Amino acid sequence: MKHVLLTYEYVDDYLEQRGQYRQAHLAHCEPFLASGQLVLGGAITEGPMQGVIVFKVTDVAEVEAFAGADPYVINGLVRQWQAREWFTVVGELALHPIPPG
């Protein structure tokens, strides 16, 4: 398993547009939440409008497929997105914890 960060860069009028797609976006997230693949998600509150979703999956391709089918992406609310492996070493949920000492 690996952690993958999915980052979204939203279009300038994202806040005005998201209402009509929000329920579909959240419904798209549901099966990934239920399976434990989607760990955490939300918006960056400062700077340009961005979102970050943390996944725990076997392959980055799973997250790329999620993004490609996300109603926010399909309907043009996301200017660009990127899925990258996050090699976690510290913290309760770290997949590659560094031993103490």
Side-chain angles (χ1 to χ4, degrees):
M1 296 302 279
K2 57 184 77 179
H3 281 129
V4 175
L5 291 178
L6 175 61
T7 54
Y8 283 169
E9 181 183 323
Y10 296 119
V11 295
D12 293 337
D13 62 347
Y14 162 76
L15 290 176
E16 293 78 23
Q17 289 193 59
R18 80 171 172 183
Q20 60 187 320
Y21 304 110
R22 189 170 175 85
Q23 283 309 115
H25 166 72
L26 295 174
H28 178 62
C29 293
E30 273 303 314
F32 295 88
L33 285 165
S35 71
Q37 291 176 292
L38 197 160
V39 178
L40 195 62
I44 303 292
T45 60
E46 295 181 17
M49 288 298 302
Q50 295 179 316
V52 177
I53 305 173
V54 179
F55 288 86
K56 182 179 175 184
V57 294
T58 56
D59 195 289
V60 174
E62 296 169 81
V63 177
E64 293 169 342
F66 170 93
D70 187 339
Y72 280 180
V73 172
I74 292 169
N75 290 289
L77 277 69
V78 176
R79 179 177 290 126
Q80 63 182 11
W81 59 267
Q82 186 174 36
R84 295 179 292 171
E85 184 175 349
W86 183 28
F87 195 84
T88 53
V89 297
V90 176
E92 191 174 310
L93 300 177
L95 295 177
H96 310 279
I98 296 174

